[in-house]
Amino acid sequence: MNRRILSFCGLLLGLLFLASSCKNKKDTPRLEFSSVELRQTVWNGTLEYKNAKRGSYSVYLNFLSDSEVEVSAYDSKDPTASYIVQADCFYTITDRIFTLKTQGDRELHPSMDQNAWYLIRKEPSLLVFQANAGNPDREATLTLRKKL
């Protein structure tokens, strides 16, 4: 009888150990970043819309401080087009959400400042954001690679 009780207790301890060692999906760290990581860096990349009619753009972001960025873009269909600083913007970062707001009355084209950009992938020299997920007409992906 004692042998069965000890075997049962051993089995329970083994199951408890196994259950505690299994990782829960909630234990997976969330993607997070801050304006400190972007301060005084330069990023180039692409802005691609899921809807092919909206086209794709080459973008350039020069992060001047923790809150200011120069944003430039041109239509990817014209490889001879040069970057033109379209707008100085303010930006904010909350956990994994990146937002832009133009200074003054200027508007960005494409309208990157009309979206909340959610960080979906982060590597030391690569950031990938997505906006308007689930809306096929407006869904967009912003892929940035660090240059400086």
Side-chain angles (χ1 to χ4, degrees), residues 34-41 43 63-66 91 148:
S34 69
S35 59
V36 174
E37 296 176 70
L38 297 175
R39 183 185 329 150
Q40 297 179 357
T41 60
W43 299 74
F63 291 90
L64 303 171
S65 70
D66 288 345
Y91 73 96
L148 294 175

Side-chain angles (χ1 to χ4, degrees), residues 8-23:
F8 182 73
C9 288
L11 180 63
L12 280 177
L13 284 173
L15 288 174
L16 285 173
F17 178 77
L18 181 64
S20 67
S21 65
C22 292
K23 280 203 167 200

Side-chain angles (χ1 to χ4, degrees), residues 21-80:
S21 65
C22 292
K23 280 203 167 200
N24 190 346
K25 286 186 179 182
K26 292 180 183 176
D27 295 338
T28 304
R30 289 186 57 177
L31 290 175
E32 292 183 7
F33 77 119
S34 69
S35 59
V36 174
E37 296 176 70
L38 297 175
R39 183 185 329 150
Q40 297 179 357
T41 60
V42 176
W43 299 74
N44 286 27
T46 58
L47 170 62
E48 298 175 289
Y49 286 94
K50 188 173 186 177
N51 182 343
K53 293 178 187 176
R54 297 197 67 167
S56 64
Y57 298 86
S58 292
V59 295
Y60 167 88
L61 286 88
N62 180 11
F63 291 90
L64 303 171
S65 70
D66 288 345
S67 61
E68 292 182 82
V69 60
E70 292 176 345
V71 179
S72 304
Y74 68 86
D75 192 327
S76 296
K77 293 176 188 170
D78 184 3
T80 61

Side-chain angles (χ1 to χ4, degrees), residues 118-122 126-130 141-144:
Y118 289 84
L119 182 66
I120 59 172
R121 184 173 170 199
K122 178 184 174 191
L126 174 72
L127 296 173
V128 181
F129 298 91
Q130 189 171 35
T141 303
L142 176 62
T143 304
L144 299 173

Side-chain angles (χ1 to χ4, degrees), residues 67-134:
S67 61
E68 292 182 82
V69 60
E70 292 176 345
V71 179
S72 304
Y74 68 86
D75 192 327
S76 296
K77 293 176 188 170
D78 184 3
T80 61
S82 61
Y83 285 111
I84 299 171
V85 174
Q86 290 189 340
D88 293 330
C89 298
F90 293 112
Y91 73 96
T92 58
I93 298 171
T94 307
D95 290 334
R96 62 181 217 148
I97 300 174
F98 171 67
T99 56
L100 290 167
K101 182 177 181 187
T102 56
Q103 297 178 16
D105 295 337
R106 300 189 76 179
E107 291 183 10
L108 286 174
H109 179 74
S111 58
M112 295 169 50
D113 57 335
Q114 303 297 316
N115 301 311
W117 295 95
Y118 289 84
L119 182 66
I120 59 172
R121 184 173 170 199
K122 178 184 174 191
E123 295 176 13
S125 295
L126 174 72
L127 296 173
V128 181
F129 298 91
Q130 189 171 35
N132 303 309

